[in-house]
Amino acid sequence: MRNMKCHLTILNEVSALIQIASSIKKLTIRCYPLWVASLCILCSCSFRSDEYKLQYKVAHGYFVKNDIPCSQIPPCIDSKEKFDDLFGMAAVMGEDGVPTAIDFSRQMVLPLVLQPTDTTTHILIKNVCKKGNKINVTCLVEKGDVQSYAAMPCELIVIEKKDFAPDDELNITYQNAENLRRLFLSAEI
């Protein structure tokens, strides 16, 4: 009798395991497309792009010299001599008044310069990425009030020379803050 109970218990357990295995098999068959899609998404995310963010700093305390037209400023500057020909130092009082130090032996400058304007204009860097041989810079241009003088809006991005090859292409995307605000406002309505 005792052996019979033991066999029944084992049979019940085996039967339960078979039902679980059957359920898993059905679930596996039903979820197979989901698993394949998930795997494809994971693979595409990891292999989709070799784009990565570059480390950079923004140099403060410099201005474009008055006799330099915007069209003469190159997309990248890799020597102090070239930089000093185009930009002057604008030291001001206070802790942050000293211009940012740039070590041209290991760093270079990507100048973002806009045409002269009598409107207060700020260039805000949102992103500096590299994909293949392309460096992509995305920035936001914010315009403010009209002022009594014209200035050449400028922002200087300092990157490591090791991140820039001679055949690299520089793509700069300027986004207008006012147009973006209108876009967001219309999306909310």
Side-chain angles (χ1 to χ4, degrees):
M1 191 77 152
R2 190 170 182 211
N3 278 345
M4 177 115 27
K5 279 187 179 179
C6 186
H7 287 294
L8 272 173
T9 305
I10 292 173
L11 282 176
N12 286 340
E13 288 178 13
V14 169
S15 175
L17 286 174
I18 291 172
Q19 284 180 331
I20 291 171
S22 175
S23 297
I24 290 173
K25 188 175 179 181
K26 288 177 187 175
L27 184 62
T28 303
I29 292 170
R30 285 187 202 142
C31 293
Y32 184 74
L34 181 62
W35 286 0
V36 170
S38 298
L39 185 61
C40 289
I41 289 170
L42 287 173
C43 288
S44 69
C45 288
S46 59
F47 297 115
R48 183 190 74 201
S49 172
D50 59 347
E51 182 174 77
Y52 60 93
K53 288 187 176 192
L54 289 180
Q55 295 293 318
Y56 71 92
K57 68 179 178 180
V58 177
H60 297 287
Y62 296 98
F63 64 92
V64 179
K65 291 184 176 178
N66 292 337
D67 59 338
I68 306 295
C70 189
S71 61
Q72 285 188 359
I73 298 174
C76 60
I77 302 168
D78 60 358
S79 73
K80 181 165 178 40
E81 295 76 27
K82 193 186 307 183
F83 184 82
D84 289 342
D85 287 345
L86 301 169
F87 298 94
M89 285 190 197
V92 294
M93 298 291 286
E95 194 175 300
D96 296 327
V98 178
T100 304
I102 303 169
D103 179 2
F104 283 98
S105 66
R106 62 180 185 79
Q107 296 174 322
M108 62 188 305
V109 175
L110 307 176
L112 306 178
V113 181
L114 302 176
Q115 293 294 331
T117 180
D118 65 349
T119 304
T120 306
T121 305
H122 299 283
I123 303 169
L124 306 168
I125 296 148
K126 292 175 57 180
N127 200 4
V128 180
C129 291
K130 184 164 185 175
K131 182 177 182 178
N133 71 333
K134 293 183 181 179
I135 293 181
N136 299 308
V137 178
T138 305
C139 52
L140 186 65
V141 178
E142 286 190 334
K143 294 192 175 225
D145 298 328
V146 176
Q147 50 197 15
S148 61
Y149 59 92
M152 195 178 296
C154 173
E155 203 65 73
L156 304 172
I157 300 172
V158 180
I159 64 169
E160 298 294 317
K161 283 185 176 179
K162 66 178 177 56
D163 292 329
F164 191 85
D167 64 335
D168 280 350
E169 182 181 320
L170 180 63
N171 298 314
I172 301 172
T173 304
Y174 293 98
Q175 297 174 337
N176 184 315
E178 186 58 34
N179 288 344
L180 287 176
R181 278 192 207 103
R182 273 190 239 128
L183 181 66
F184 288 128
L185 288 174
S186 65
E188 291 174 3
I189 297 176

